């Protein structure tokens, strides 16, 4: 096929194929995570973001390419998760803006739209890093613009765009030393290449061959389960478990052996409407849960997660029954507070901790399940305040928070906390009597005066920052850098605290995760009290997944 124009319906097919190809390869993208920690979620984030865009496009398949572009941009914007998902949304936001007035486009216009997407994405990132998805998109767009000067076939332009994207991806380790050190290419760049491969396949009239996972159908069971609740006869706030969560687990030999009865019983503790269908290779799960991140973390113990879908049932219910169902004098929203604080948390204990020190809304999320732009927007509206402060508490959620702030009318202040200890320090520095500008300054300043540490385990052998790390080792991460390893969790925890605590420090907070025992925590507490006599120690049960301990040192 050598087409010289591209209309909305063909572009829609490109989007759907690109999203599908990315979804089929999300696991591979996740595996390219540089750190050997059990939370490599670039593929998951890009997949969920692109799927959100594709869903909107599927509902708006029209001849007018500008309208299809607008649908894609809207879906991606609200579904964007993690830095990679936000950047992807910005790439196609710029692309779509460039073509919004056009019914169809030619090769130079297609290339110009790719370049417009790159320009938009670079503006959205405060400190662009080369050797990432940004570089791959930039190099690919440059090649497209160059070839479109003489080439009229959009297929040919896309062919050369993909070729340059692949070449740029191979060069990413030369631009980003940490990639070269670990021996991988950039995960976000690889995700974009998969999307572009899907685009080209449609233009060439080809089908991409991907290993198909055969699973038992669950749709009828899920529909029956959902129909049990008569939505028009309950109030939105009466929904006990707010997130319809579906996923599949592909079992792995080195993970927890699968026992269906135990798996089902354990999952039943997280919510209701539980359905499990399993065979020798995988299990498909449907559940209504209040904390979907915890459900997914449990599933990961058995293998790799695929085909994840989480829907906010409270929002769906409100959309279905209409706001009129709520009784007239709902005073909850009548008066706005001066300030409202939204924070992101993984683990029930950490969520309660944030609420106890002043958070109004806590979004379930963190590693492995970054909240989307839409999740954050909903929390902003739920807070109902003149000034909303967002604490992302994860470096991979900061951009989504900033994107959410840009699409609402409220005055939103994003405090770029990258860890739970930073979020706690910022929240404790909050002064409700001060003006917004002063509050922002105080909370930002607090981020600089806390040291953050985490204990987790390695999911593969690697060498990073001069450390030889074996699969299964416990790693101590201090302010984002792996500084120690040990075969024993308790020994690793002691080593990390010794590394972090200096003679000027006064307070150490230990947050115990799911994988830590009370006995280990007690020994750790004794260790700190004996080794650092002048330090005051606090212990909290955070119940966070993946990280057996989170440490805050001030």
């Amino acid at each position: 096929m050598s087409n010289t124009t591209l209309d909305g319906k063909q572009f829609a097919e490109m989007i759907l194929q690109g999203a599908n190809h990315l979804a089929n390869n999300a696991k591979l993208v996740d595996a390219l995570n540089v750190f050997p920690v059990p939370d490599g979620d670039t593929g998951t984030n890009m997949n969920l973001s692109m799927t959100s865009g594709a869903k909107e496009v599927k509902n708006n398949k029209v001849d007018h390419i500008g309208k299809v572009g607008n649908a894609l941009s809207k879906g991606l914007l609200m579904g964007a998760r993690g830095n990679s998902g936000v950047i992807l949304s910005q790439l196609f936001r710029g692309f779509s803006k460039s073509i919004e007035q056009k019914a169809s486009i030619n090769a130079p216009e297609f290339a110009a739209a790719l370049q417009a997407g790159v320009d938009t994405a670079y503006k959205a990132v405060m400190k662009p890093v080369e050797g990432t998805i940004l570089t791959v998109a930039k190099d690919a767009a440059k090649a497209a613009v160059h070839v479109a000067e003489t080439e009229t076939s959009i297929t040919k332009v896309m062919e050369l765009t993909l070729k340059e994207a692949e070449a740029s991806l191979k060069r990413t380790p030369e631009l980003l030393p940490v990639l070269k050190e670990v021996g991988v290419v950039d995960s976000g760049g690889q995700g974009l290449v998969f999307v572009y491969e899907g685009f080209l396949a449609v233009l060439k009239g080809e089908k991409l061959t991907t290993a198909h996972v055969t699973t038992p159908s669950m749709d009828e069971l899920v529909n029956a389960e959902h129909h049990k609740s008569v939505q028009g006869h309950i109030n939105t706030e009466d929904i006990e478990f707010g997130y319809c969560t579906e996923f599949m687990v592909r079992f792995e030999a080195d993970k927890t052996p699968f026992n269906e009865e135990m798996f089902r019983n354990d999952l039943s503790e997280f919510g209701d409407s539980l359905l499990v269908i399993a065979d020798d290779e995988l299990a498909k799960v449907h559940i209504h849960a209040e904390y979907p991140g915890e459900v997914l973390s449990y599933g990961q113990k058995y293998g790799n997660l695929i085909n994840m879908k989480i829907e906010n049932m409270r929002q769906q219910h409100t959309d279905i029954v209409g706001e009129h169902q709520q009784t007239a004098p709902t005073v909850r929203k009548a008066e706005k507070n001066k300030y409202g604080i939204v924070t992101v948390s993984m683990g029930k204990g950490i969520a309660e901790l944030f609420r106890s020190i002043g958070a109004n809304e806590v979004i379930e999320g963190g590693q492995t399940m970054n909240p989307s732009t839409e999740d954050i927007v909903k929390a902003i509206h739920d807070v109902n305040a003149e000034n909303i402060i967002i604490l992302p508490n994860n470096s991979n959620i900061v951009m989504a928070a900033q994107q959410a702030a840009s699409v609402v009318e409220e005055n939103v202040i994003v405090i770029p906390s990258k860890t739970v200890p930073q979020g706690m320090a910022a929240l404790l520095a909050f002064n409700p009597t001060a003006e917004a500008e002063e509050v922002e300054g105080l909370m930002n300043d607090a981020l600089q005066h806390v040291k953050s540490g985490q204990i987790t385990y390695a999911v593969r052998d690697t060498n990073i920052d001069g450390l030889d790390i074996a699969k299964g080792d416990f790693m101590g991460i201090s302010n984002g850098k792996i500084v120690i390893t040990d075969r024993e969790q308790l020994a690793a925890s002691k080593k990390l605290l010794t590394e972090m605590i200096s003679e000027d420090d006064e307070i150490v907070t230990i947050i115990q995760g799911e994988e830590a025992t009370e006995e280990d925590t007690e020994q750790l507490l004794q260790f700190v009290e004996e080794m650092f006599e002048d330090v005051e120690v606090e212990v909290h049960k955070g119940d966070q997944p993946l990280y057996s301990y989170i440490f805050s040192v001030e």
Side-chain angles (χ1 to χ4, degrees), residues 411-431:
N411 179 41
V412 178
I413 300 166
V414 178
I415 305 296
S417 53
K418 296 179 179 179
T419 64
V420 167
Q422 282 192 344
M424 288 167 56
L427 192 46
L428 289 168
F430 169 64
N431 179 359

Side-chain angles (χ1 to χ4, degrees), residues 201-275:
V202 170
L203 290 170
K204 294 174 82 170
E206 297 175 353
K207 285 282 182 188
L208 289 168
T209 54
T210 322
H212 180 66
V213 182
T214 307
T215 60
S217 172
M218 195 187 263
D219 291 349
E220 289 181 17
L221 288 170
V222 170
N223 287 338
E225 195 67 39
H226 284 186
H227 289 160
K228 284 181 187 175
S229 64
V230 185
Q231 292 185 328
H233 294 276
I234 60 172
N235 293 319
T236 303
E237 57 266 32
D238 291 337
I239 297 175
E240 186 181 0
F241 300 103
Y243 296 89
C244 177
T245 306
E246 292 182 40
F247 62 96
M248 289 191 288
V249 183
R250 184 181 287 139
F251 307 135
E252 288 187 313
D254 59 346
K255 294 285 185 78
T256 304
F258 182 73
N259 176 299
E260 185 170 346
E261 186 180 356
M262 183 186 295
F263 184 81
R264 196 186 303 273
N265 288 341
D266 287 350
L267 280 177
S268 67
E269 299 293 320
F270 292 105
D272 61 14
S273 301
L274 173 65
L275 298 165

Side-chain angles (χ1 to χ4, degrees), residues 298-439:
Y298 175 80
Q300 269 190 309
K301 294 178 180 179
Y302 292 88
N304 284 308
L305 301 186
I306 53 176
N307 295 6
M308 290 167 282
K309 185 176 77 171
I310 297 174
E311 293 178 335
N312 186 325
M313 295 190 298
R314 293 187 182 97
Q315 185 62 47
Q316 288 177 334
H317 180 265
T318 302
D319 293 343
I320 291 167
V321 303
E323 291 299 330
H324 65 274
Q325 183 176 353
Q326 295 182 11
T327 48
T330 317
V331 242
R332 196 168 75 84
K333 293 281 185 181
E335 281 187 36
K336 286 194 173 188
N337 295 319
K338 184 176 180 180
Y339 290 107
I341 295 172
V342 174
T343 186
V344 182
S345 158
M346 53 176 180
K348 289 181 184 176
I350 293 178
E352 288 307 315
L353 190 55
F354 273 120
R355 287 191 184 97
S356 71
I357 57 176
N360 303 100
E361 289 285 328
V362 179
I363 304 171
E364 174 67 20
Q367 300 294 37
T368 74
M369 184 45 63
N370 300 147
S372 67
T373 304
E374 187 170 18
D375 293 333
I376 300 170
V377 166
K378 182 184 181 303
I380 289 169
H381 290 152
D382 287 348
V383 163
N384 190 41
E386 294 171 13
N387 305 284
I388 293 97
I389 297 162
I390 303 178
L391 297 166
N393 305 330
N394 186 299
S395 59
N396 209 25
I397 302 175
V398 174
M399 284 186 69
Q402 291 167 339
Q403 183 153 282
S406 71
V407 299
V408 297
E409 293 178 359
E410 289 86 348
N411 179 41
V412 178
I413 300 166
V414 178
I415 305 296
S417 53
K418 296 179 179 179
T419 64
V420 167
Q422 282 192 344
M424 288 167 56
L427 192 46
L428 289 168
F430 169 64
N431 179 359
T433 63
E435 293 306 309
E437 193 174 323
E438 186 185 349
V439 164

Side-chain angles (χ1 to χ4, degrees), residues 4-6 102 104-112 148 151-154:
T4 56
T5 58
L6 184 66
K102 298 179 172 70
S104 63
I105 57 174
N106 58 26
E109 289 168 331
F110 177 72
E151 180 59 65
T152 59
S153 164
I154 291 177

Side-chain angles (χ1 to χ4, degrees), residues 45 48-50 52-53 74-81 372-374:
N45 284 333
L48 291 171
S49 304
M50 195 70 191
S52 178
K74 177 187 172 187
L76 270 170
L77 177 76
M78 298 311 287
R81 297 172 188 268
S372 67
T373 304
E374 187 170 18

